[in-house]
Amino acid sequence: MNPWDAITPSEELEWHPCYDFVNPAFRCARLTVPLDYDCPRIPSRPSPKVHIAVTLLPAKNPAANRSPMLLNPGGPGGSGSMFALLVAPALQKILDPDQPIIGFDPRGIGFTTPVADCWATPPPCDGCPEDTAKGLVHRLAWTSTNAGFGFVNSSSIAFKYLEAGHRAVNDLCRGKDSQLEGQSIFAHASTAHVAQDMISIVDAWDRWVNKTQDAATLAVNPTQKKLIYWGFSYGTYLGATFASMFPDRVGRLILDGVVDAEHYVTPVWKESLVDTDKVLGEFFRLCVEAGPKCALYRAGDTQEDLGNRYHAILDRLSADPPITFTHPTSFFPVIVRASFIRALVFTVLYKPSSFPSLAILLDYIYQEKYEELAILFQDPQLLCLAPGNSLAGVVTDAQRAIMCSDKTKPVNLTLEEFRSEFDGTASISQFADIWVSLMLQCNGWDIYSPKHSVPKVPWTIPPNKTKGQQQAKIKTAFPILFLSNTYDPVTPLVAAVKMATKFQDAGLIEQVSSGHCTLASISWCTALAIKYYVLFGQVPPPPVVDGDDYLGGKWQRCWGNGGPWNEFDVAGIDGDDEEKRATVEMMEAFKKVRETLDSVPRFGVGALPGFEGVEEALRNFATAHAAV
């Protein structure tokens, strides 16, 4: 049974036991907030509402009276409530048992209602629910059809039909919005709306504490009325937006895998790929270092040899005739397309822990053992075994609604203009076709609230061109902590440095590793920095840069411990046996969070029509070959 169905929404946090099979301490609530914060409340007139799904892992000792840490796993489109369900126990081991952890589903996502679903069939009668299951079938059929086009440069017609497909979906969403007479979630799903929702959650928490706890027994809470937050990937844009809109409400903000806000609000955001190919280079380098442990390695190989072998594999898959085989258990034909394998590679760049599995997969192709790839291709009929609407609310249009609403102005480029954007992106990365295929989804989106306006934050205000003058840094009630890997495939280090310079006294840590967000690797140094920041308010020094030379400055660095082919080794950590035991426990907790973050849909290839199963296929393959 879905526990959310039994919870009556309320304008106060009313906690109910939920998911006790995961942890009996978990509690859930549905917090009611206005659909439109700008709409005045008139008691005699009902106003549209949003009911936010909130999951809580309480503190072991509530009298410690700590503000909860809110989480966002990224996307946009990731379910924060489910993320907290999976990682909150591990986070309490990392931080402190008395640190409450809250996950929430932002507007349009997961179990927050209404869901951003353009495909759900309209209700047949007044008071009847939408048919989300039928809409899901239509969505899957559409995406399966569009998958045949591959990426924007897969053929001479791919760009034209992929762009037309996204415009068609946006027309579908516009039709759904018009049915709801401008009161749908699509027009009120921007990041600025979600930032206001976080204020509502913080205030509701303080009211709940005051109502349910004996004030005489509570410890002093220095972060009362302030936000404690850890955001990953897109979650860093949400955190930065919150800090710019409500700087006096910042308690502790960790922004991990940092989005360059100035580029995010542009049509294509191509600068995100400046380090993507460097992460692929790290795969080749680490494979050579691992030697025979890496399945793709051959005796005497150099990093260049590995790169050449990789491109030869892709060339083979792109050649005529295409590579095909019959699925050995489901008995249907499979075409091994280069676009699908490249999508898998792009996904793996997010998480180097999957480098060994990628090496095995590529080696099977190199050796022409194609049937070993069968687990990547699931029988579509397995969807029929899914109970009820298990995918409804998970497969949504939330990413489209949020990201496209965040643009400073509607995206309405011609096909030739988008081709030009692709050419510029291709000069940055070999994965430009994947990225631009993702960016197409905003072309033609024009659903906004009547008072739609982008918050007046530094990344939406034209820079001051007056010589010698710069925009003033945003002063927050407490400094922000920015985190970045040296090489991140979609949120490069330069973005973290640049964003840190927009906020007064903000600290920055570069983790010398690769992957998306610092949790892609394990670092004892980073783990301690996060713990000391949250619990004791210790902020690393701000980055020192010279003008716009963001990568030529100085800031704190932490080295990763272990790698894809060698696990974290506690032997290098100083301390007695008890300290080392605590270290192992903390690092195991970080690994748990990393593995969970890997499983949460974030902004990446999973958003492409027909490629929603890429991450699932990779996990299946990695699990099946874990012992190899």
Side-chain angles (χ1 to χ4, degrees):
M1 176 182 176
N2 178 357
W4 302 97
D5 292 338
I7 300 176
T8 301
S10 170
E11 293 186 354
E12 302 297 332
L13 284 173
E14 297 179 356
W15 299 110
H16 301 261
C18 60
Y19 299 105
D20 57 353
F21 61 92
V22 177
N23 188 313
F26 271 114
R27 297 292 182 267
C28 294
R30 297 179 68 196
L31 182 67
T32 299
V33 300
L35 178 72
D36 185 353
Y37 283 91
D38 292 330
C39 182
R41 299 183 63 179
I42 303 175
S44 62
R45 184 188 305 169
S47 57
K49 304 291 186 183
V50 175
H51 308 299
I52 302 175
V54 186
T55 304
L56 166 69
L57 182 62
K60 300 295 182 183
N61 175 24
N65 194 24
R66 288 184 181 160
S67 300
M69 171 179 278
L70 275 62
L71 304 175
N72 184 282
S79 168
S81 68
M82 294 297 99
F83 182 57
L85 195 69
L86 296 171
V87 306
L91 285 180
Q92 282 191 339
K93 289 182 179 179
I94 295 168
L95 299 172
D96 190 279
D98 291 335
Q99 175 61 60
I101 307 291
I102 278 182
F104 71 100
D105 290 347
R107 293 170 173 238
I109 297 171
F111 296 103
T112 286
T113 56
V115 173
D117 187 352
C118 302
W119 295 81
T121 303
C125 61
D126 290 341
C128 297
E130 293 182 322
D131 191 338
T132 55
K134 184 183 291 187
L136 178 62
V137 171
H138 294 161
R139 181 196 297 272
L140 293 175
W142 171 267
T143 55
S144 178
T145 299
N146 278 265
F149 295 116
F151 301 128
V152 293
N153 66 335
S154 295
S155 69
S156 60
I157 63 172
F159 217 134
K160 177 174 69 174
Y161 286 106
L162 288 173
E163 193 274 340
H166 281 299
R167 282 191 179 272
V169 173
N170 288 336
D171 286 342
L172 181 71
C173 298
R174 190 179 303 109
K176 175 65 70 69
D177 179 71
S178 64
Q179 292 170 8
L180 298 172
E181 299 180 349
Q183 295 182 347
S184 74
I185 194 64
F186 303 114
H188 300 87
S190 72
T191 298
H193 285 94
V194 180
Q196 291 175 304
D197 291 340
M198 291 200 290
I199 286 286
S200 295
I201 294 173
V202 170
D203 289 345
W205 172 271
D206 287 337
R207 292 196 302 271
W208 174 75
V209 169
N210 293 334
K211 178 181 177 180
T212 61
Q213 303 294 321
D214 181 1
T217 65
L218 293 177
V220 174
N221 181 5
T223 58
Q224 187 177 15
K225 297 184 181 298
K226 292 183 170 59
L227 176 68
I228 312 299
Y229 175 79
W230 193 346
F232 302 90
S233 191
Y234 158 79
T236 67
Y237 180 77
L238 171 57
T241 299
F242 178 95
S244 64
M245 293 175 65
F246 309 107
D248 59 324
R249 302 296 295 270
V250 171
R252 304 284 189 274
L253 257 63
I254 305 173
L255 305 186
D256 191 342
V258 183
V259 167
D260 186 321
E262 290 179 350
H263 294 154
Y264 169 79
V265 298
T266 62
V268 175
W269 186 23
K270 53 181 173 287
E271 294 83 358
S272 284
L273 301 188
V274 297
D275 286 341
T276 311
D277 292 12
K278 295 176 183 176
V279 183
L280 181 61
E282 285 296 282
F283 166 68
F284 300 142
R285 182 183 69 81
L286 292 170
C287 180
V288 170
E289 284 189 3
K293 291 181 181 179
C294 175
L296 194 61
Y297 175 82
R298 300 293 184 271
D301 270 349
T302 64
Q303 184 173 334
E304 183 180 4
D305 294 331
L306 263 293
N308 291 337
R309 187 167 303 129
Y310 165 76
H311 289 291
I313 290 169
L314 294 181
D315 289 343
R316 180 190 301 172
L317 295 180
S318 301
D320 294 325
I323 303 298
T324 65
F325 67 90
T326 299
H327 198 285
T329 57
S330 297
F331 306 103
F332 61 82
V334 173
I335 300 177
V336 186
R337 294 180 297 155
S339 59
F340 185 77
I341 299 303
R342 290 182 67 248
L344 284 168
V345 173
F346 185 68
T347 300
V348 170
L349 299 185
Y350 280 55
K351 42 194 175 185
S353 59
S354 295
F355 280 1
S357 296
L358 176 61
I360 295 170
L361 184 155
L362 293 174
D363 188 54
Y364 281 148
I365 300 175
Y366 185 70
Q367 297 188 57
E368 301 184 12
K369 296 180 179 179
Y370 302 119
E371 290 193 5
E372 297 289 347
L373 309 180
I375 199 168
L376 294 173
F377 304 92
Q378 295 295 318
D379 188 341
Q381 286 194 344
L382 292 177
L383 288 173
C384 299
L385 303 178
N389 297 349
S390 61
L391 292 180
V394 177
V395 181
T396 72
D397 300 287
Q399 181 176 101
R400 182 186 301 266
I402 297 168
M403 183 177 71
C404 302
S405 297
D406 284 339
K407 302 301 182 182
T408 52
K409 59 182 179 180
V411 181
N412 196 23
L413 302 183
T414 66
L415 191 58
E416 287 309 310
E417 287 172 331
F418 245 115
R419 290 184 190 276
S420 177
E421 291 287 350
F422 167 72
D423 291 340
T425 310
S427 68
I428 296 173
S429 171
Q430 62 188 279
F431 295 97
D433 54 342
I434 296 178
W435 193 251
V436 173
S437 298
L438 284 164
M439 296 297 108
L440 278 172
Q441 64 185 311
C442 287
N443 213 29
W445 178 273
D446 60 356
I447 306 173
Y448 301 103
S449 60
K451 295 183 179 180
H452 172 70
S453 63
V454 179
K456 300 304 181 185
V457 291
W459 43 91
T460 64
I461 302 173
N464 190 328
K465 297 299 184 180
T466 303
K467 185 176 181 180
Q469 293 187 13
Q470 296 180 343
Q471 291 176 337
K473 294 185 178 183
I474 300 173
K475 180 175 175 56
T476 52
F478 195 84
I480 302 173
L481 172 59
F482 289 87
L483 303 175
S484 177
N485 285 324
T486 301
Y487 299 131
D488 187 303
V490 290
T491 54
L493 172 63
V494 65
V497 180
K498 179 180 175 181
M499 290 299 294
T501 63
K502 295 183 181 298
F503 294 90
Q504 187 169 319
D505 300 323
L508 171 67
I509 292 178
E510 172 193 347
Q511 183 170 284
V512 183
S513 57
S514 59
H516 188 37
C517 305
T518 59
L519 287 177
S521 300
I522 298 297
S523 169
W524 172 241
C525 169
T526 305
L528 285 181
I530 292 171
K531 182 170 185 173
Y532 291 166
Y533 172 76
V534 174
L535 298 184
F536 311 119
Q538 294 186 15
V539 186
V544 177
V545 298
D546 183 11
D548 293 337
D549 183 16
Y550 295 113
L551 293 182
K554 296 181 179 180
W555 48 81
Q556 181 173 327
R557 290 177 172 84
C558 282
W559 269 255
N561 301 105
W565 281 277
N566 58 300
E567 285 297 316
F568 173 79
D569 185 4
V570 73
I573 301 297
D574 295 332
D576 57 26
D577 290 343
E578 179 62 23
E579 290 173 321
K580 289 188 176 183
R581 183 201 63 76
T583 299
V584 171
E585 185 175 281
M586 188 174 181
M587 291 298 97
E588 288 298 323
F590 256 95
K591 286 176 61 178
K592 172 65 176 176
V593 178
R594 180 194 70 190
E595 292 163 0
T596 303
L597 192 64
D598 285 347
S599 69
V600 174
R602 287 173 289 160
F603 192 82
V605 74
L608 285 169
F611 288 89
E612 290 86 347
V614 167
E615 293 183 356
E616 177 76 19
L618 182 64
R619 285 194 294 274
N620 291 339
F621 184 87
T623 300
H625 297 87
V628 176

